[in-house]
Amino acid sequence: LPTGVSDMQIDQRNFTQELRLASVRTSRLSWVTGAFVGASRTKTDMDRLMKRAVATSYLHTDYTSDTQALFGQGTWSIVEGLRLTVGLRGENTRLNGEQTYRTSALRRSYAKDVTFTELLPMASLSWDATANVTPYISWSQGYLPGGFNVFSASNRGNFYYEPEYSTNYEAGFKTHWLNDKLLANVSAFYSTIRDKQVREEDPTGGAGAWKFINSAQAHSSGFEAEVKAYPLAGLELRGGVGYARSVIDDWTTTVNGVEKDFSGKRLPWAPDLTYNIGVGYTHETGLFAQVDLFGAGKQYFDAENKLSDDGYQTVNAQVGYHGDNWDVSLWGKNVLDARYATKKLVSNSQTIVEDGAPMTFGVTVGWRF
């Protein structure tokens, strides 16, 4: 018998706009610069209707996110075949959230207003070693914005979490052969992650309460390879594979009142293997069709590495028409209706599983001007 029902309603409205200016003349220096604005307004209601009335809770959240950014990137041809690229993105985000937590015995209302500004630099160096092979190296700083816990917060202390940051290194080769009828790229990467956003129990929040905090350090390393081939006019064959090993370096927390050290465990929600294979064909009349298989390997859903999914495959397909300045297509995602899990967690000694998106179909119309 179910112990209860969770009912969640979401109303979210988003707006984004980006404007770019780019150099067009061939010279030793090429550049692009621009500005970005984004706004999001979200209302959520998370009701946990338990069989025991005392455990029933209602959680209403209103929050906004406003982002402005300026960015620029330039590539300088130092000598013939050797290029240096540097870039910088400055981003300012303001979050404003209000939440009301209510049970049969109490009612709490609280709010959080926070602004953070980030500077995200990058640099890369590439060299045309031969007419077909270009090795490169790159370095960049990244971040994942903070946010609000709209699912299981119960007080101001577990309502908000801060951004996480990464430093990323990559090296690889880009190659093209047979008059560009065969493209093959391979790369290796290493990333360090600090202030990792992680999910932990919240002893101050009551039964079933949890929170996001920035307490873990981690790293990820691996490789990626991709191939594209054009054996006939209009026909594209493509495939790729990636392997990533994501490991927790430092994370100590409390589980059911017992202190746990998760150092050395695999990072949750990080599949070790991803792969894809597909084929597409575009006729000279503008008609096109394509089908792709996407796969993921084993991943863990908890820091103890007790909850996992062995992997899954989904198939996507699309048919449509490319006009001079417009497109129309009929598409399907997960057309074979594969069943897989995207989340697992233990709550009140029960394992709760969230299923992946089912078979989905739609129509897209686009107009270019």
Side-chain angles (χ1 to χ4, degrees), residues 355-367:
D355 295 325
M359 176 172 54
T360 307
F361 293 95
V363 175
T364 297
V365 178
W367 175 47

Side-chain angles (χ1 to χ4, degrees), residues 1-236:
L1 295 177
T3 60
V5 175
S6 292
D7 179 40
M8 185 173 188
Q9 299 183 34
I10 305 175
D11 181 1
Q12 185 174 56
R13 298 161 191 261
N14 300 313
F15 170 83
T16 63
Q17 178 65 60
E18 183 172 285
L19 298 175
R20 293 189 176 197
L21 293 174
S23 60
V24 294
R25 294 181 179 178
T26 302
S27 67
R28 294 184 63 184
L29 177 65
S30 60
W31 52 267
V32 61
T33 186
F36 169 87
V37 295
S40 175
R41 304 290 184 269
T42 306
K43 294 182 180 181
T44 66
D45 286 283
M46 183 69 177
D47 300 336
R48 300 177 67 243
L49 311 174
M50 310 300 288
K51 292 182 68 176
R52 293 175 296 144
V54 67
T56 293
S57 62
Y58 305 89
L59 197 61
H60 175 77
T61 311
D62 291 338
Y63 69 91
T64 63
S65 174
D66 297 293
T67 299
Q68 304 85 37
L70 297 174
F71 58 88
Q73 181 173 303
T75 299
W76 177 43
S77 180
I78 303 173
V79 296
E80 184 67 26
L82 183 63
R83 295 173 297 277
L84 173 66
T85 300
V86 294
L88 180 66
R89 181 183 180 92
E91 185 166 300
N92 175 270
T93 298
R94 178 176 179 179
L95 300 178
N96 181 275
E98 300 178 353
Q99 191 171 73
T100 298
Y101 172 78
R102 180 169 58 89
T103 69
S104 59
L106 61 87
R107 177 189 177 97
R108 296 182 186 136
S109 296
Y110 38 87
K112 181 72 174 182
D113 187 357
V114 63
T115 300
F116 46 87
T117 301
E118 307 294 342
L119 294 177
L120 305 172
M122 64 80 62
S124 68
L125 188 66
S126 63
W127 173 48
D128 296 332
T130 70
N132 305 101
V133 179
T134 301
Y136 69 92
I137 56 173
S138 70
W139 165 88
S140 65
Q141 297 280 356
Y143 89 113
L144 183 64
F148 298 107
N149 180 3
V150 303
F151 304 104
S152 187
S154 57
N155 55 63
R156 192 173 188 270
N158 58 24
F159 179 40
Y160 172 75
Y161 52 93
E162 298 281 349
E164 69 176 58
Y165 302 90
S166 66
T167 301
N168 313 293
Y169 307 89
E170 184 176 331
F173 294 88
K174 296 181 181 294
T175 72
H176 56 98
W177 313 90
L178 305 175
N179 294 323
D180 292 338
K181 290 185 177 181
L182 177 63
L183 308 179
N185 303 324
V186 63
S187 64
F189 63 87
Y190 182 86
S191 299
T192 60
I193 307 169
R194 59 192 184 278
D195 299 327
K196 177 68 181 171
Q197 297 167 358
V198 294
R199 176 184 179 276
E200 293 188 354
E201 290 182 354
D202 184 11
T204 67
W210 50 273
K211 60 184 178 180
F212 284 115
I213 67 171
N214 303 81
S215 67
Q217 315 298 319
H219 73 272
S220 180
S221 59
F223 70 88
E224 295 178 341
E226 63 174 349
V227 176
K228 292 183 178 181
Y230 305 91
L232 300 172
L235 178 64
E236 179 184 273

